[in-house]
Amino acid sequence: MTKYKIGGLVENPDLTMFHLTAVEDQPGAAGEVLNAFAEKQVNLEYITETSTNDGLAVMGICVSSAMASRIDAYLAADTGIRRRLNITRIENVSVLGIYGPHFREKPNLAARFCQVLGRTGVNILGLSSSISSICAVIRNNEIGTARRALLEVFELP
């Protein structure tokens, strides 16, 4: 089997994922939520956002598990944002991804990445991409299986 050349792996374990739903999808909504975390000095390890057909925004964020309690405390205290959000918390997750080359030059890399994880039984809890990377949020206990499967298909420099 031909391996796909990539620039490297991204691996960020021991995270907590928060799904923030029912944020009104309007100009500045994502910035308001992200700024609230920035003001509390919480580093977001993963961010994704999209809109529903009903005009709502759905945001997924991951933070270091050590910081998750700060988010819980902030959300419990800030009734303005908390009132507008439905929050789901998923503990014990990791971000695993590949980067390079630019995906617009190799459009099948993202599909291959997701297929490899699926074939090995690794469930993708969140997915984000950029011009040169694709990252999946997966369970911590699946990171070894996922890494081995990816390295069978993708070649590191």
Side-chain angles (χ1 to χ4, degrees):
M1 175 196 303
T2 302
K3 286 191 171 188
Y4 297 86
K5 292 184 180 188
I6 59 170
L9 287 177
V10 174
E11 203 172 304
N12 195 352
D14 302 322
L15 303 174
T16 298
M17 183 175 205
F18 290 87
H19 287 145
L20 312 172
T21 57
V23 177
E24 293 178 41
D25 192 14
Q26 59 188 15
E32 179 185 358
V33 172
L34 296 175
N35 187 60
F37 294 121
E39 287 178 352
K40 299 295 182 190
Q41 301 298 304
V42 174
N43 187 38
L44 303 178
E45 308 285 339
Y46 169 92
I47 305 168
T48 186
E49 193 260 346
T50 192
S51 300
T52 68
N53 290 336
D54 298 331
L56 301 175
V58 180
M59 184 175 283
I61 62 169
C62 287
V63 300
S64 163
S65 291
M67 296 289 266
S69 61
R70 287 177 73 183
I71 290 196
D72 289 335
Y74 167 70
L75 292 172
D78 187 335
T79 56
I81 287 183
R82 178 74 175 133
R83 254 182 291 145
R84 298 191 319 257
L85 298 177
N86 179 15
I87 302 166
T88 304
R89 178 180 168 148
I90 304 170
E91 296 185 40
N92 302 313
V93 300
S94 296
V95 170
L96 180 64
I98 59 173
Y99 61 89
H102 294 312
F103 286 146
R104 65 178 171 229
E105 297 167 4
K106 303 279 187 179
N108 61 340
L109 291 182
R112 185 70 57 213
F113 175 84
C114 293
Q115 287 174 331
V116 167
L117 295 179
R119 277 199 302 270
T120 59
V122 173
N123 188 34
I124 297 172
L125 304 172
L127 190 66
S128 70
S129 68
S130 68
I131 292 172
S132 59
S133 69
I134 183 163
C135 293
V137 178
I138 62 174
R139 299 274 179 199
N140 279 341
N141 64 350
E142 297 177 322
I143 199 155
T145 300
R147 183 187 326 101
R148 283 188 297 278
L150 290 172
L151 292 175
E152 288 178 10
V153 175
F154 296 102
E155 180 181 335
L156 297 174

